[in-house]
Amino acid sequence: ASNAEKMSAPHALAALAALGQPIRLEIFRLLIREEPHGLAAGAIAEAIGCLHNSLSSHLSILARSGLVRGERDGRSIVYRAEVDSMRRLVGFLVTDCCDGHPELCDLSAAVNAADCDCSPSPKRPKRGK
């Protein structure tokens, strides 16, 4: 990856701090599961049982850290996980793995051990509201 695509230590710290709060971690994991469609703020609040004003604060922190983005869709804002940002964060964390050879760490084994059923899901229609 080019230097422009690499994550700096301050950006990594901001992302990790944002994810270090249980509700924000839950929001991010929910949005990752909903990729590439995303979810409207109301649907996020309902899914995790969070008050709208608290949710707004959590989404702002996640957005400032570069982990989510919101896009206006009519009267709603649909939030999506910033997958490339997470990819850069993971890359930042494992760059020095195995003396600079992260491929030796076999992180694919960690994905398999997570039992995430990471196979592509069928396309779903865009959600309204």
Side-chain angles (χ1 to χ4, degrees), residues 29-42:
R29 294 186 74 204
L30 173 65
L31 291 176
I32 281 289
R33 286 190 302 271
E34 294 296 327
E35 274 300 304
H37 306 290
L39 285 174

Side-chain angles (χ1 to χ4, degrees), residues 18-63:
L19 293 172
Q21 199 281 341
I23 293 175
R24 290 193 292 269
L25 179 60
E26 188 176 353
I27 292 167
F28 183 79
R29 294 186 74 204
L30 173 65
L31 291 176
I32 281 289
R33 286 190 302 271
E34 294 296 327
E35 274 300 304
H37 306 290
L39 285 174
I44 297 169
E46 186 177 318
I48 65 170
C50 184
L51 298 174
H52 290 276
N53 58 348
S54 297
L55 179 69
S56 178
S57 175
H58 290 303
L59 287 168
S60 292
I61 292 167
L62 287 166

Side-chain angles (χ1 to χ4, degrees), residues 59-79:
L59 287 168
S60 292
I61 292 167
L62 287 166
R64 281 194 307 272
S65 72
L67 293 171
V68 304
R69 73 183 182 288
E71 298 173 353
R72 183 146 305 275
D73 183 12
R75 292 177 45 188
S76 297
I77 298 177
V78 174
Y79 289 89

